[in-house]
Amino acid sequence: MKSIYYAKDISELLYQLKTNKGLQVVGGCTKIEEIPEKFISTKNIYELNQITRHERYIDIGPGATISKILHTGQNHLPPILYDAMNRMANPMIRNSATIGGNICYKGHKLTLYAPLLALDAKLEFKNQNETISESLRNFKEVPEGYILSNIRVPLIDAEVSIFRRIGPEHAINLDSASFAFIADIERNSIAKVQMAFAGAFTFHSKNIENSLVGEHLPLTQNDINRIFNNVIAEFYKQTTDQMISDVVRQQFFNLVRYSLEQLT
């Protein structure tokens, strides 16, 4: 028999986690194949469902559903994140699926991981004594005894913003992945690039991003080939031990080249 626990606020949630060994925190349960033996949902905890927009970033509670986040409006979210959310599943799933569940799903990285990675989102974790922060780029799992309490997303509105999802339209398998590419342009040169790919594996390279800063625009075909070859080399370096299908690998390469071509 499954045991369901309830909490009216964060303090009570943390107390339940401390006193009930093996208790798992869940969101909308849209991707859980088997409900845990003991679980507690963030669904009705007010503090974990809030969305607050600031001048340079937006704070999103992990229990906020995708539909609720979308309802804040296209002008209040980074375009690449709004695009990714708008392409997720169907309205019924978006009404239940939470941003925290999308981030914390174990194993395969889901739709929002790549755009949030490219945006360099920051995760906030809380226990009964302290609050700590970590970049999504360093995230492995929620620290023991803590809960994910907030996702802080920079409000980046870049000149080039590309999101693509590959794989089956209404399912997640080994060929499913998301790609995100953001480029800021100043005075006919690249001021900043952020790129990420996430699915069965995750690819993000600060070296590649930094190497593109200062590239003169428009890029020539020779520039594209040079940068593209550097990305390929870095990709193989990072994924030496990964089991990656030829289809996924080629689609990633195609998306990189397509993104670079938008800078010509």
Side-chain angles (χ1 to χ4, degrees):
M1 180 179 293
K2 308 291 184 182
S3 298
I4 307 172
Y5 292 76
Y6 298 93
K8 65 179 182 295
D9 54 32
I10 289 179
S11 295
E12 189 172 334
L13 172 61
L14 290 168
Y15 174 79
Q16 294 282 17
L17 288 175
K18 184 177 181 179
T19 56
N20 292 285
K21 188 175 181 180
L23 184 63
Q24 294 187 40
V25 179
V26 300
C29 297
T30 55
K31 285 300 297 176
I32 295 179
E33 296 178 3
E34 183 177 350
I35 298 294
E37 291 298 320
K38 298 194 296 183
F39 68 94
I40 186 167
S41 175
T42 60
K43 185 175 179 61
N44 296 316
I45 300 177
Y46 177 82
E47 303 105 305
L48 299 180
N49 286 269
Q50 295 309 294
I51 302 170
T52 307
R53 194 178 190 276
H54 306 271
E55 183 178 357
R56 296 180 181 275
Y57 57 85
I58 184 168
D59 283 328
I60 306 175
T65 65
I66 304 307
S67 289
K68 180 176 181 177
I69 300 168
L70 284 170
H71 286 159
T72 63
Q74 188 170 1
N75 295 330
H76 297 288
L77 293 168
I80 199 166
L81 183 60
Y82 183 88
D83 190 17
M85 290 184 169
N86 211 31
R87 296 188 188 201
M88 280 181 64
N90 56 58
M92 185 176 295
I93 296 296
R94 294 198 293 266
N95 284 338
S96 299
T98 64
I99 187 172
N102 205 272
I103 291 170
C104 295
Y105 184 74
K106 292 184 178 180
H108 201 102
K109 304 303 183 190
L110 301 182
T111 303
L112 301 183
Y113 212 90
L116 288 171
L117 197 62
L119 289 165
D120 196 17
K122 299 294 189 295
L123 307 181
E124 179 186 273
F125 304 102
K126 187 185 292 288
N127 68 8
Q128 292 180 314
N129 302 312
E130 64 175 352
T131 299
I132 59 176
S133 181
E134 179 180 47
S135 170
L136 179 62
R137 296 178 178 183
N138 299 322
F139 175 64
K140 301 299 181 186
E141 61 182 357
V142 178
E144 186 175 353
Y146 288 77
I147 60 165
L148 174 61
S149 56
N150 186 58
I151 299 103
R152 177 163 290 184
V153 184
L155 292 171
I156 295 175
D157 186 6
E159 284 78 6
V160 177
S161 182
I162 298 167
F163 170 80
R164 295 290 187 273
R165 184 182 180 279
I166 66 171
E169 187 174 354
H170 299 297
I172 298 292
N173 64 20
L174 290 176
D175 290 335
S176 301
S178 295
F179 173 85
F181 182 92
I182 305 168
D184 268 331
I185 298 168
E186 292 180 6
R187 298 178 182 177
N188 295 322
S189 66
I190 297 174
K192 190 175 186 179
V193 166
Q194 293 163 277
M195 179 175 66
F197 189 73
F201 66 96
T202 301
F203 175 82
H204 169 261
S205 173
K206 199 66 181 173
N207 289 337
I208 292 294
E209 291 177 346
N210 290 339
S211 72
L212 288 170
V213 175
E215 286 278 353
H216 183 72
L217 298 178
L219 295 179
T220 66
Q221 196 58 50
N222 285 337
D223 292 332
I224 291 175
N225 290 338
R226 169 176 51 81
I227 297 167
F228 182 66
N229 288 334
N230 289 340
V231 173
I232 290 177
E234 184 68 16
F235 179 86
Y236 279 114
K237 179 181 176 182
Q238 286 194 23
T239 60
T240 302
D241 300 325
Q242 302 283 345
M243 297 293 291
I244 303 169
S245 73
D246 292 338
V247 172
V248 172
R249 183 184 297 108
Q250 191 56 55
Q251 288 197 62
F252 169 69
F253 293 158
N254 291 345
L255 287 167
V256 171
R257 184 172 283 280
Y258 169 79
S259 300
L260 294 173
E261 287 172 349
Q262 306 315 299
L263 301 174
T264 57

